Amino acid sequence: MDRPSVAFLKAAARRPLGVATVFPTSSALARRLITPLTQSPPGRVIELGAGTGAITRHLVDAAPGQVTALEIDPELARFLRSHLGDIRVVCAPAEDMGHVVEPRTARAVVASLPWTMLSPLTQERIFAAVHKALVPGGVFATYLCLNAYLHPKARTFRARLHTWFPRVEEGAIEWRNLPPAVPWFAWSARN
Ligand SMILES: C[S@@+](CC[C@H](N)C(=O)[O-])C[C@H]1O[C@@H](n2cnc3c(N)ncnc32)[C@H](O)[C@@H]1O
């Protein structure tokens, strides 16, 4: 069985646009993304685009027995199942999350999707699904890589966050990630 870095490189070679990078998310960025979990209400934790589990490992530590990971690539989904215990892995596109997660059951959705590679329609479908899945006061955590920050689809992404969520925060650049990345956090209404 491949090491995570090798499995990730192979996936990037198979689907360069779908994986969008040859570097998995750094621990520094993963830790930043999961910070709001400590203050979130009860519920499941969903990951979108889990890859080889660079963020998933941190989620499992923070929320044992509560993590569902969606990954579109069947080989990566297999890799996750064989390398990570105590999680539910579903091989499905993020935009189909509504078939996997009951409405208002997720306290957090963490996504490391290649936002600038996704069509505006797919972005919109994912935002709608995340919004529907979150419990009141639940958090959506994701990031944009600095090199893609000014891309028109990154602008659409940022505008959509503000359309769907009443509270949105942009984090400071995480320079220890390759490439450096900007975390984004959005919270659903508390009711
Ligand atoms: C930038 S990589 C991040 C991988 C890993 N989570 C990490 O942080 O290192 C993007 C991941 O999202 C997956 N992906 C791309 N589009 C997707 C979609 N529409 N639904 C679910 N997963 C998707 C890719 O296969 C890849 O594993």
Side-chain angles (χ1 to χ4, degrees), residues 43-58:
R44 285 200 70 80
V45 174
I46 312 301
E47 185 182 7
L48 304 178
T52 49
I55 301 172
T56 327
R57 289 174 173 76
H58 294 265

Side-chain angles (χ1 to χ4, degrees), residues 8 15 18-21 23-25 47-55 70-73 76 92-95 112-114 118 122 126 143:
F8 196 84
R15 302 173 33 258
V19 176
T21 172
F23 301 109
T25 299
E47 185 182 7
L48 304 178
T52 49
I55 301 172
L70 273 74
E71 170 52 56
I72 201 169
D73 183 309
L76 289 178
E95 50 273 37
S112 52
L113 296 169
L118 303 178
T122 302
I126 294 171
Y143 66 83

Side-chain angles (χ1 to χ4, degrees), residues 21 23-30 143 145 174-181:
T21 172
F23 301 109
T25 299
S26 64
S27 288
L29 180 57
Y143 66 83
C145 287
E174 179 51 72
W175 293 101
R176 290 169 292 179
N177 197 67
L178 278 176

